[in-house]
């Protein structure tokens, strides 16, 4: 039995205190301690014993008294014990703050702990135990980095401080640095090998987090070797066995959990795992008992969260959603972040989804998705929630992501296909096909619903054969096979007979007699109906009727079958039978809005306005005004009542239009995307003259209809064209009518052609108007309105042409033709016997006939005048054309003459330059090859030759003189013939003289051969004294060569000296005369020089 002895002051006696018999009231022991001024270490021992006994209040009372100012003053010299008391109080309040769940009280405990640690630091700021306590406090507060700094301060002073090492290891574990934490735990164990077995729990947890499960198991087993009743080690090993996910592992894990529960029945973690086990075994009573016990024995937030979660899902599985939601919420409150424990968020989302609180459900599932972004179940649930919230695009996004994450999840593709049906039929069809293929590959049966959806999508895409294949595959074998002609013995009957005898069920009795089973499962009724609808589209009306009747035979209350039979009768223009069938549907449900709306429409077609209004009103009242179709039909009734062809009452018309607008607006308030209601509202506004507003509405409706494959609204195109027409924008109106005609009616609707013709008429495009009306007449030959309008267009075109100030004969002839056609058309209409049935007045048509005949007579007069004027204009134009051609020919001849003259000048100049260059080269070569003496001899020879040349020139001159005299006599004989060319010859002679002068000047400027030789470096010094003689000799030699060339080649010299001349004999003689004169003059000059 442990005890302590308190020494009596001023005596050798001691007071013995048994530690296991400490008084309940700590005041007694405090009185002794203070009276005897006992050492502070005794205060610590007694307070610690109180704490071990669970007497926390006495423990706190003694320590707080031991840290009072009086004690501090009395024991001022005692430092360590005072610090120990303060650190014990700090650790106590740190623990209280850690386990406290209420934030306010938690903060108060942490503040007190901080005050005690700070007070201890003021006594000795370097005390390691104080820094260890501060680190634990900071770790409890979640300030991991500051706790790391506190432990680091201790380890810098003493690297083997075990509490600091353990604290540092805990910090690293919370940081997620499990390797560093493991090293610190190992180091602490090396420093103090005899530490408690619980220290090895840290090693085991680090190994577990690092994925070293075998070593972690060894660490936990080592803990059990040191302490066989260590509950934490048993629970850890049990969890590892349960995670094996096999029967033996689960059995071993539950045995360890049961053992831990037997050792310590208040281990909250063991209680939670046991509750989890009993939940899956369906023992909800044990689940509730265990979780309630766990909640009573623990204040640890995550552990309590698991306990609340087990309790919540127990109630959830029993269908008590209110209690389940309450405990899910309690579980969430015990954790700080979803990442710590996300399952209660999923459960709470399910509960909120069940109660219809989609916003709260969305919030909870999004938190789950933050932790597990690739969880397919969460993605699919979010997709469904967004559908309910009307955010279809987001829903599709989540479904697509789910299908990409798990491409083998057939349900994800089914959900995705259901989402895409209304927006993207192609993608929806692909999703359903993928789901079908996955199910078939997995050997699972394909649901009838999936095959039915595939068939419907093929039907909507007009892939009727594929739709038929899908429907037949969904139905399989059954009574529908002989009814559709897929058996050797077929029971298909004629279409019209089946409609008339829709109550006759004898055919089905015959089927039973033939051994066919008439069983029609409820999940295949819709498929049979869709199959009948498909055959109806394929114009197999007999098969469709027999299938509808089969549905009515097995399910007489199937209203849609009656309505489809009524639609078939309506298509055959059998309104009475159609009304009878709708009334049969109303016998099943007299408030069926679809049947009432259809009946109202039939009555309206039957021109029974009063009944139609009452029926449509009943259809609207049947759904409290929520059925859009019934409300729209009632709005249409009011609009048609306002614009009927009878004599209008302005006041009544305004009332009906306002009522129609009100009904259309009501539909738009309920369904903002209802295109038909928006179109109706636009029509009403257009009738009131608000064209800009109605145009904006029609444009939006057109855009909305263009983006959907299920909606075909040609009406909005026509209405938009009407608006453009009313605003005078005829070009856009024409374009809109043409686009509508091509897009929806394949250019075969005579009514739209009539609208188009009217637009051309108002735009004064008479010919386009006539062409459009002729197209309409071709499509509807019996439409007298089109014929009358064509005649009016021709008449208007003719009038406009005749009223023009200037008109051509072609236009007048066309006018005559159009008037003749107009007279013929009006005459045909006048001769018709049923004009009044088409709304025509015979007198008015006769007036048109007379007017056109009158115009025709006037047009003929204008035609004759126009033709005369046209003939005169043609003659004037021909004369002007001939003058222009003559002027053009003269101009081209002048240009050709100038061009030839210039060209010959260039050729002569080029030839002269070539001859000069050749002469220069010849002289240069001669001078190079000769010596001075030879040059002198050559000069003498040249002088002699010059004399002979002079004689030859004189003789030649005489000959040319004779020739010239002869030419003169010939010209005298031909004088009358040359008078016309004299002026031109004088111009040519002048040009020849100018050219001869320029040639002479060039020859005079020609360089001296001696100078050229000097420039070439071949200058001869011996010739300096005889410079004058060679110069004159060279001049004479040049003249001699020139004369010899004239004598030898007269035909070549003439073109060279006189370019661009005519080759006539007279001109050659004239040239010879001129050259003879020139040569004579040059010869005279040479003689004078020689003399």
């Amino acid at each position: 039995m442990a005890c302590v002895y308190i020494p009596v002051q001023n005596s050798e006696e001691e007071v013995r205190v048994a530690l296991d018999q400490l008084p309940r009231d700590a005041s007694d022991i405090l009185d002794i301690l203070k009276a005897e001024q006992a050492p502070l270490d005794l205060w610590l021992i007694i307070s610690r014993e109180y704490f071990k006994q669970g007497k926390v209040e006495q423990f706190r009372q003694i320590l707080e008294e031991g840290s009072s100012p009086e004690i501090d003053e009395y024991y001022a010299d005692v430092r360590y014990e005072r610090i120990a008391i303060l650190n014990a109080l700090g650790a106590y309040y740190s623990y209280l703050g850690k386990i406290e769940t209420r934030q306010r009280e938690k903060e108060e405990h942490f503040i007190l702990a901080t005050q005690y640690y700070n007070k201890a630091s003021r006594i000795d700021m370097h005390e390691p135990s104080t820094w260890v306590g501060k680190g634990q406090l900071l770790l409890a507060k979640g300030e991991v980095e500051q706790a790391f700094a506190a432990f680091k301060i201790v380890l810098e002073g003493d690297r083997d401080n075990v509490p600091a090492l353990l604290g540092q290891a805990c910090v690293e574990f919370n940081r997620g640095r499990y390797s560093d934490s493991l090293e610190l735990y190992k180091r602490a164990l090396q420093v103090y090998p005899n530490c408690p077995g619980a220290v090895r729990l840290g090693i085991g947890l680090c190994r577990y987090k690092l994925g070293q499960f075998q070593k972690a198991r060894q660490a936990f087993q080592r803990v059990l070797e040191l302490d066989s009743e260590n509950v934490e080690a048993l629970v850890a090993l049990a969890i590892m066995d349960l995670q094996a996910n096999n029967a033996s592992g689960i059995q071993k894990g539950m045995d360890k959990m049961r053992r831990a529960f037997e050792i310590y029945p208040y281990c909250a973690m063991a209680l939670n795992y046991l509750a989890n086990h009993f939940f899956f075994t369906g023992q909800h009573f044990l689940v509730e008992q265990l979780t309630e016990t766990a909640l009573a024995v623990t204040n640890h937030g995550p552990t309590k969260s698991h306990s609340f979660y087990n309790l919540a899902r127990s109630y959830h599985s029993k269908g008590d959603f209110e209690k389940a939601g309450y405990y899910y919420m309690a579980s969430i409150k015990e954790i700080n972040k979803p990442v710590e424990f996300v399952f209660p968020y999923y459960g709470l989302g399910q509960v909120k989804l069940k109660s219809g609180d989609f916003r709260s459900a969305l919030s909870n599932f999004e938190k789950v998705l933050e932790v597990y972004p690739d969880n397919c179940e969460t993605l699919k649930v979010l997709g469904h929630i967004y559908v309910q919230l009307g955010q279809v695009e987001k829903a599709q996004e989540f479904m697509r992501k789910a299908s990409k994450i798990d491409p083998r999840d057939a349900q994800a593709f089914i959900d995705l296909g259901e989402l895409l049906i209304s927006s993207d039929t192609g993608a929806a069809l692909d999703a359903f096909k993928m789901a079908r293929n996955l199910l078939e590959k997995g050997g699972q049966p394909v649901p009838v619903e999936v095959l039915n959806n595939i068939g419907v999508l093929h039907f909507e895409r007009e892939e009727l054969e594929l739709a038929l294949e899908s429907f037949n595959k969904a139905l399989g074998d059954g009574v529908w096979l002989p009814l559709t002609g897929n058996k050797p013995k077929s029971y298909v009957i004629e279409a019209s007979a089946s409609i008339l005898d829709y109550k006759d069920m004898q055919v089905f009795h015959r089927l039973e007699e033939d051994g066919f089973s008439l069983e029609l499962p409820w999940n295949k009724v819709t498929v049979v109906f869709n199959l009948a609808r498909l055959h109806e589209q394929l114009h197999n009306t007999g098969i469709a009727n027999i299938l509808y009747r089969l549905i009515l035979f097995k399910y007489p209350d199937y209203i849609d079958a009656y309505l489809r039979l009524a639609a078939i009768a309506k298509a055959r223009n059998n309104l009475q039978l159609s009304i009878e069938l709708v009334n049969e549907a109303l016998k099943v449900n007299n408030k069926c809005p679809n049947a009432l709306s259809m009946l109202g429409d039939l009555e309206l077609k039957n021109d029974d306005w009063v009944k139609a209004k009452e029926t449509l009103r009943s259809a609207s009242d049947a759904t409290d005004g929520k059925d859009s179709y019934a409300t729209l039909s009632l709005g249409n009734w009011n609009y048609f009542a306002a614009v009927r062809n009878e004599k209008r009452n302005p006041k009544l018309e305004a009332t009906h239009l306002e009522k129609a607008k009100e009904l259309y607006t009501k539909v738009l308030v309920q369904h903002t995307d209802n295109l038909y209601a928006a179109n109706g509202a636009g029509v009403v506004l257009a009738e009131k003259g608000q064209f800009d507003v109605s145009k904006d509405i029609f444009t939006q409706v057109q855009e909305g209809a263009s983006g959907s494959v299920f909606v075909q609204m040609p009406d909005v195109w026509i209405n938009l064209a009407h608006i453009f027409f009313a605003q005078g924008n005829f070009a856009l109106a024409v374009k809109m009518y043409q686009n509508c005609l091509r897009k929806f009616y394949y250019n075969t609707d005579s009514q739209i052609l009539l609208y188009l013709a009217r637009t051309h008429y108002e735009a004064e495009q008479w010919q386009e108007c006539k062409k459009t009306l002729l197209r309409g007449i071709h499509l509807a030959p019996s439409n007298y309105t089109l014929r009358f309008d064509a005649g009016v267009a021709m008449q208007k075109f003719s009038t406009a042409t005749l009223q023009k100030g200037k008109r051509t004969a072609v236009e007048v002839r066309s006018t005559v033709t159009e008037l003749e056609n107009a007279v013929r058309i009006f005459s045909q209409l006048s001769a018709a016997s049923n004009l009044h049935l088409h709304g025509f007045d015979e007198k008015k048509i006769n007036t048109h006939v007379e007017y056109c005949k009158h115009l025709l007579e006037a047009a003929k007069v204008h035609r004759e005048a126009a033709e005369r004027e046209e003939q005169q204009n043609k003659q004037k134009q021909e004369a002007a054309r001939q003058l222009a051609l003559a002027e053009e020919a003269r101009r081209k001849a002048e240009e050709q003459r100038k061009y030839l003259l210039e060209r010959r000048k260039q050729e002569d100049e080029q030839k002269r330059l070539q001859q000069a260059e050749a002469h220069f080269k010849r002289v240069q070569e001669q001078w190079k090859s000769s010596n001075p003496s030879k040059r002198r001899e050559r000069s003498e020879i040249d002088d002699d030759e010059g004399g002979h040349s002079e004689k030859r020139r004189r003789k030649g001159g005489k000959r040319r003189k004779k020739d010239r005299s002869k030419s003169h006599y010939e010209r005298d004989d031909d004088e009358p013939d040359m008078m016309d060319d004299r002026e031109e010859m004088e111009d040519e002679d002048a040009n020849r003289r100018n050219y001869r002068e320029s040639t002479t000047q060039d020859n005079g400027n020609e360089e001296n051969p001696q100078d050229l030789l000097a420039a070439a470096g071949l200058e001869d010094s011996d010739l300096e004294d005889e410079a004058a003689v060679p110069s004159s000799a060279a001049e004479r030699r040049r003249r001699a060569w020139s004369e010899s060339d004239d004598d030898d080649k007269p035909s070549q010299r003439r073109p060279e000296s006189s370019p661009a001349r005519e080759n006539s004999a007279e001109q050659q003689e004239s040239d010879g005369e001129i050259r003879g004169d020139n040569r004579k003059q040059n010869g005279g000059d040479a003689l004078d020089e020689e003399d």
Side-chain angles (χ1 to χ4, degrees):
M1 182 177 62
C3 60
V4 296
Y5 296 91
I6 302 173
V8 178
Q9 193 174 9
N10 300 325
S11 172
E12 294 181 358
E13 297 179 358
E14 296 176 336
V15 178
R16 180 176 174 275
V17 178
L19 294 179
D20 58 347
Q21 297 178 1
L22 291 174
R24 184 179 297 275
D25 188 0
S27 300
D28 296 339
I29 198 70
L30 277 173
D31 292 341
I32 297 172
L33 291 172
K34 288 191 289 186
E36 301 301 333
Q37 298 180 359
L40 290 180
D41 59 339
L42 295 177
W43 294 59
L44 282 168
I45 292 170
I46 293 171
S47 64
R48 185 168 63 246
E49 190 62 31
Y50 270 120
F51 186 81
K52 288 180 179 179
Q53 295 177 12
K55 299 175 180 179
V56 179
E57 188 62 31
Q58 290 83 343
F59 160 79
R60 184 182 59 79
Q61 185 179 356
I62 292 174
L63 289 182
E64 286 181 351
E65 189 66 30
S67 62
S68 63
E70 296 84 1
I71 298 299
D72 288 342
E73 184 178 355
Y74 184 78
Y75 294 97
D77 296 335
V78 181
R79 299 167 61 87
Y80 179 77
E81 286 77 5
R82 288 167 58 199
I83 291 173
I85 290 173
L86 293 170
N87 288 341
L89 284 170
Y92 169 69
Y93 282 108
S94 296
Y95 172 74
L96 290 180
K98 183 177 180 181
I99 65 175
E100 182 62 55
T101 57
R102 292 169 295 185
Q103 191 64 29
R104 184 176 178 182
E105 285 76 2
K106 182 188 286 287
E107 292 295 333
E108 291 176 355
H109 293 318
F110 286 148
I111 290 171
L112 288 173
T114 304
Q115 290 175 355
Y116 284 118
Y117 283 129
N118 289 338
K119 189 175 180 181
S121 294
R122 285 195 292 270
I123 297 173
D124 184 1
M125 65 177 299
H126 299 293
E127 174 59 36
S129 61
T130 303
W131 286 107
V132 171
K134 286 183 176 181
Q136 291 174 345
L137 171 63
L138 293 168
L139 197 59
K141 293 169 68 175
E143 299 175 3
V144 179
E145 297 302 325
Q146 296 183 18
F148 177 80
F151 292 129
K152 185 177 180 181
I153 291 172
V154 179
L155 291 174
E156 286 177 353
D158 181 8
R159 62 185 303 271
D160 293 333
N161 187 296
V162 175
L165 287 172
L166 294 176
Q168 193 81 310
C170 187
V171 169
E172 296 294 353
F173 189 89
N174 287 328
R175 283 178 167 180
R177 300 175 180 176
Y178 304 116
S179 299
D180 297 339
S181 177
L182 179 62
E183 294 300 324
L184 289 168
Y185 278 123
K186 287 181 179 180
R187 186 175 166 193
L189 197 61
Q190 291 171 356
V191 173
Y192 185 53
N194 296 324
C195 64
V199 174
R200 289 176 170 80
L201 281 173
I203 295 176
L205 292 174
C206 289
R207 297 284 190 187
Y208 182 83
K209 290 292 186 180
L210 290 171
Q212 303 171 6
F213 301 116
Q214 189 60 34
K215 291 186 177 182
R217 184 181 292 276
Q218 291 175 0
F220 294 137
Q221 289 173 349
R222 177 59 178 163
V223 174
L224 289 177
E225 290 174 2
L226 296 174
D227 182 6
S228 60
E229 295 186 352
N230 190 294
V231 177
E232 289 80 3
L234 279 171
V235 171
L237 286 171
I239 292 172
M240 294 184 71
D241 289 334
L242 291 173
Q243 288 178 345
N245 201 21
N246 54 57
S248 61
I250 293 173
Q251 185 62 41
K252 290 179 182 178
M254 292 312 301
D255 290 340
K256 289 184 176 65
M257 285 292 180
R258 192 174 294 108
R259 183 183 169 193
F261 175 74
E262 291 171 355
I263 294 171
Y264 183 62
Y266 304 108
C267 177
M269 186 172 289
L271 292 170
N272 284 335
Y273 272 96
L274 288 170
N276 181 68
H277 170 73
F278 289 121
F279 171 78
F280 287 106
T281 60
Q283 297 171 283
H284 297 290
F285 176 73
L286 291 175
V287 174
E288 293 169 10
Q289 279 190 336
L290 291 169
T291 51
E292 288 173 357
T293 303
L295 289 169
V297 299
T298 184
N299 288 321
H300 185 244
T303 305
K304 289 181 71 177
S305 178
H306 280 76
S307 301
F308 281 124
Y309 172 71
N310 286 331
L311 196 58
R313 64 177 178 167
S314 176
Y315 284 111
H316 193 172
S317 63
K318 293 191 297 183
D320 192 345
F321 299 108
E322 184 177 353
K323 283 188 176 181
Y326 172 78
Y327 286 116
Y328 280 133
M329 187 63 70
S331 177
I332 289 172
K333 289 180 179 178
E334 295 295 334
I335 56 179
N336 297 322
K337 298 178 180 179
V339 69
E340 296 177 5
F341 187 48
V342 77
F343 294 147
Y345 288 98
Y346 196 94
L348 184 60
Q350 289 177 317
V351 172
K352 295 295 183 182
L353 189 61
K354 182 69 176 179
S355 63
D357 189 356
F358 299 114
R359 294 290 178 184
S360 298
L362 179 65
S363 175
N364 286 284
F365 283 115
E366 283 179 342
K367 289 186 173 72
V368 176
L369 199 65
E370 290 176 3
V371 181
Y372 297 104
D374 294 335
N375 185 268
C376 291
E377 296 300 325
T378 305
L379 289 169
K380 288 189 286 186
V381 172
L382 283 171
H384 286 293
I385 292 174
Y386 278 117
V387 169
Q388 298 298 327
L389 293 175
Q391 302 181 27
V392 181
E393 292 183 358
K394 272 199 169 184
Q396 293 175 5
E397 178 184 348
F398 280 107
M399 287 299 182
R400 284 194 177 97
K401 187 175 180 181
S403 61
K404 287 180 181 178
I405 292 173
D406 188 3
R408 294 175 295 178
D409 188 354
Q411 187 60 43
F413 284 102
I414 293 173
D415 295 339
L416 178 61
E418 291 175 351
L419 283 177
L420 293 170
I421 282 179
S422 59
S423 59
D424 190 348
T425 55
L429 183 60
D430 292 339
F432 284 128
K433 286 183 177 179
M434 179 62 72
R436 181 192 63 187
N437 295 336
L438 289 172
L439 292 171
E440 290 176 349
K441 287 181 180 178
Q444 302 177 21
V446 182
V448 175
E449 294 79 7
V450 174
L451 294 172
N452 180 64
N453 289 337
I454 292 173
V456 171
L457 289 173
H458 280 306
F459 180 82
E460 294 291 347
R461 292 159 62 93
E462 298 183 359
E463 299 169 354
L464 304 182
E465 295 298 328
L466 295 175
L468 182 62
E469 179 183 348
S470 296
F471 288 142
N472 289 330
K473 189 174 182 180
L475 289 172
D477 293 333
V479 67
W480 40 84
L481 292 179
L483 294 178
T484 56
N486 293 330
K487 287 286 185 180
K489 184 176 181 180
S490 177
Y491 292 83
V492 179
I493 56 179
E494 200 275 326
S496 59
S498 64
I499 295 174
L500 296 174
D501 301 332
Y502 67 92
K503 293 182 180 180
D504 185 12
M505 300 298 174
Q506 293 298 324
V507 63
F508 304 113
H509 295 301
R510 290 200 306 271
L511 282 169
E512 287 181 330
E513 293 174 359
D514 292 340
F516 289 101
S517 173
L518 295 181
E519 182 182 359
L520 180 59
W522 63 269
N523 63 336
K524 293 185 178 181
V525 176
T526 303
V527 185
V528 173
F529 181 84
N530 291 335
L531 181 62
R533 184 72 185 84
L534 174 61
H535 281 292
E536 188 180 342
Q537 189 71 18
L538 290 170
H539 305 291
N540 299 328
T541 315
I543 296 176
N545 276 286
I546 200 68
L547 290 174
Y548 289 137
R549 289 167 58 189
L550 171 65
I551 295 173
L552 292 175
F553 178 73
K554 298 298 294 183
Y555 299 92
D557 296 340
Y558 201 90
I559 294 177
D560 287 343
Y562 283 113
L563 297 182
R564 287 314 308 167
L565 288 172
I568 294 173
K570 177 186 173 182
R572 293 177 174 274
N573 205 24
N574 194 339
L575 297 182
Q576 293 302 322
L577 179 59
S578 182
I579 291 174
E580 181 182 346
L581 287 164
V582 174
N583 286 326
E584 290 291 333
L586 289 172
K587 290 178 183 178
V588 178
N589 181 6
N590 61 354
K591 292 185 178 181
C592 176
N594 292 336
L596 289 170
S597 298
M598 188 172 184
L599 181 60
D601 183 58
L602 289 169
E603 290 171 343
L604 199 60
K605 287 185 177 296
N606 211 20
D607 207 21
D608 196 344
W609 287 75
V610 178
K611 280 188 177 181
K613 182 179 180 181
E614 294 299 326
T615 305
L616 293 174
R617 185 173 293 169
S618 300
S620 180
D621 295 340
T623 57
D624 297 328
K626 296 180 180 179
D627 184 68
S628 301
Y629 185 83
T631 308
L632 275 174
S633 299
L634 200 56
N636 292 339
W637 184 94
N638 282 277
Y639 172 73
F640 291 137
V643 297
R644 291 180 71 181
N645 290 329
E646 292 115 11
K647 187 175 182 180
R648 296 187 181 182
N649 185 345
K651 186 176 180 180
L652 190 61
E653 179 182 351
T655 303
H656 282 306
L657 286 177
E658 191 62 33
K659 185 63 178 178
K661 179 183 176 184
E662 178 184 343
L663 292 168
Y664 293 140
T665 306
K666 182 179 179 181
V667 175
L668 286 173
V669 170
Q670 294 175 352
H671 305 283
T672 56
D673 55 349
N674 192 302
L675 299 177
Y676 298 97
N679 183 53
V683 169
V684 173
L685 292 172
E687 290 290 343
K688 292 183 176 183
Q690 301 178 21
F691 298 126
D692 291 334
V693 180
S694 60
K695 182 172 69 174
D696 293 339
I697 293 174
F698 290 142
T699 302
Q700 294 181 28
V701 173
Q702 183 189 31
E703 292 175 356
S706 300
S708 174
V709 296
F710 298 104
V711 180
Q712 296 290 332
M713 288 188 67
D715 294 348
V716 70
W717 294 65
I718 298 171
N719 292 334
L720 196 55
H722 287 345
I723 294 297
F724 289 136
F725 176 84
Q727 291 180 330
N729 197 341
F730 301 120
L732 285 178
V734 167
K735 186 176 181 181
M736 193 62 64
Y737 284 132
Q738 290 174 344
N739 290 339
C740 178
L741 194 64
R742 181 180 61 256
K743 182 178 178 66
F744 299 103
Y745 299 103
Y746 305 101
N747 296 317
T748 59
D749 189 271
S750 60
Q751 186 63 37
I752 299 179
L753 286 172
L754 185 59
Y755 296 149
L756 183 59
R758 182 189 175 193
T759 307
H760 286 308
Y761 183 86
E762 293 295 334
E764 298 183 358
Q765 299 171 354
W766 320 116
Q767 291 300 315
E768 294 297 329
C769 175
K770 184 192 72 171
K771 292 177 182 178
T772 305
L773 289 169
L774 291 177
R775 285 174 57 192
I777 293 171
H778 178 74
L779 295 171
S782 61
N783 191 328
Y784 285 6
T785 302
L786 295 173
R787 293 178 180 272
F788 179 81
D789 291 344
V792 172
M794 296 174 186
Q795 174 186 318
K796 193 68 177 177
F797 167 75
S798 303
T799 304
T801 304
L802 293 176
Q803 289 176 353
K804 290 171 61 175
K806 292 183 178 180
R807 50 190 176 271
T808 63
V810 175
E811 291 177 339
V812 178
R813 281 193 292 270
S814 176
T815 300
V816 172
T817 303
E818 295 293 344
L819 285 171
E820 290 174 349
N821 292 332
V823 169
R824 185 173 64 254
I825 290 174
F826 287 131
S827 299
Q828 290 174 353
L829 291 175
S830 177
S833 59
N834 53 353
L835 285 176
H836 298 288
L837 297 177
H838 296 277
F840 292 113
D841 185 3
E842 187 175 357
K843 293 182 179 180
K844 185 177 181 179
I845 293 178
N846 290 330
T847 302
H848 279 286
V849 172
E850 296 300 326
Y851 181 70
C852 289
K853 287 181 178 179
H854 171 70
L855 286 179
L856 182 60
E857 295 298 328
K860 290 180 179 179
V861 175
H862 287 293
R863 181 180 62 183
E864 294 174 358
E867 288 176 350
R868 286 195 301 270
E869 184 179 356
E870 183 182 26
Q871 187 65 27
Q872 293 175 1
N873 291 334
K874 284 183 178 180
Q875 292 175 358
K876 291 179 180 180
Q877 290 175 358
E878 181 63 23
R881 190 179 69 83
Q882 293 296 334
L883 289 175
L885 290 175
E887 180 65 23
E888 181 68 17
R890 189 196 64 77
R891 183 184 63 79
K892 288 183 178 180
E894 181 66 20
E895 290 179 355
Q896 182 69 16
R897 188 186 67 78
K898 292 180 179 180
Y899 169 74
L900 292 174
L901 180 61
E902 183 65 25
R903 182 177 175 183
R904 290 185 180 182
K905 284 182 179 180
Q906 293 176 357
E907 291 176 353
D908 290 344
E909 181 68 18
Q910 184 68 24
K911 193 170 184 179
R912 186 190 65 79
L913 292 175
Q914 291 176 357
Q915 289 177 353
E917 183 178 358
H919 175 71
F920 170 74
K921 288 181 179 180
R922 188 168 56 251
V923 171
Q924 187 178 15
E925 290 175 358
Q926 290 175 356
W927 280 97
K928 285 181 181 179
S929 59
S930 62
N931 52 34
S933 59
K934 290 181 178 181
R935 289 172 188 160
R936 284 192 296 268
E937 293 175 358
R938 189 179 293 116
S939 298
E940 294 175 357
I941 293 170
D942 289 341
D943 291 339
D944 296 335
E945 289 177 354
H948 293 296
S949 297
E950 194 68 29
K951 294 178 181 180
R952 281 195 301 268
R953 277 196 299 271
R954 290 173 185 173
K955 293 178 181 180
K958 292 178 180 180
R959 286 195 301 270
R960 284 192 294 272
K961 186 173 182 181
K962 293 178 180 180
D963 295 337
R964 186 179 57 192
S965 300
K966 184 179 179 180
S967 299
H968 177 71
Y969 295 142
E970 290 176 354
R971 283 197 302 272
D972 289 340
D973 296 334
D974 298 333
E975 187 69 21
D977 297 331
M978 297 295 293
M979 289 299 292
D980 295 335
D981 297 333
R982 184 171 298 170
E983 183 178 355
E984 182 177 355
M985 294 297 295
E986 290 175 358
D987 294 336
E988 291 178 357
D989 294 338
N991 290 333
R992 189 178 292 109
R993 284 193 299 272
N994 292 335
Y995 177 73
R996 184 69 67 182
E997 289 173 2
S998 63
T999 305
T1000 305
Q1001 184 177 357
D1002 291 338
N1003 292 334
N1005 294 332
E1006 186 177 356
E1007 294 182 1
N1008 194 330
Q1010 184 62 32
D1011 295 336
L1012 295 175
L1013 292 175
L1018 301 174
E1019 184 180 4
D1020 191 354
S1021 58
D1022 297 332
L1023 296 176
E1024 292 179 356
D1025 298 332
E1026 301 174 358
V1029 177
S1031 176
S1032 59
E1035 182 66 23
R1036 286 193 301 269
R1037 185 173 61 253
R1038 189 181 302 114
R1039 292 177 180 176
W1041 288 346
S1042 177
E1043 183 178 358
S1044 64
D1045 289 340
D1046 289 338
D1047 294 339
D1048 296 338
K1049 298 178 181 180
S1051 61
Q1052 296 178 2
R1053 294 290 292 172
R1054 286 168 187 160
E1056 182 179 349
S1057 60
S1058 178
R1061 294 295 93 200
E1062 302 293 337
N1063 293 325
S1064 62
E1066 293 83 1
Q1067 290 177 2
Q1068 290 177 3
E1069 292 172 358
S1070 177
D1071 291 344
E1073 182 180 353
I1074 294 171
R1075 291 192 190 97
D1077 294 338
N1078 289 336
R1079 290 192 186 98
K1080 183 177 179 180
Q1081 183 178 355
N1082 292 335
D1085 293 339
L1087 290 173
D1088 294 338
E1089 184 178 353
E1090 185 178 4
D1091 295 335

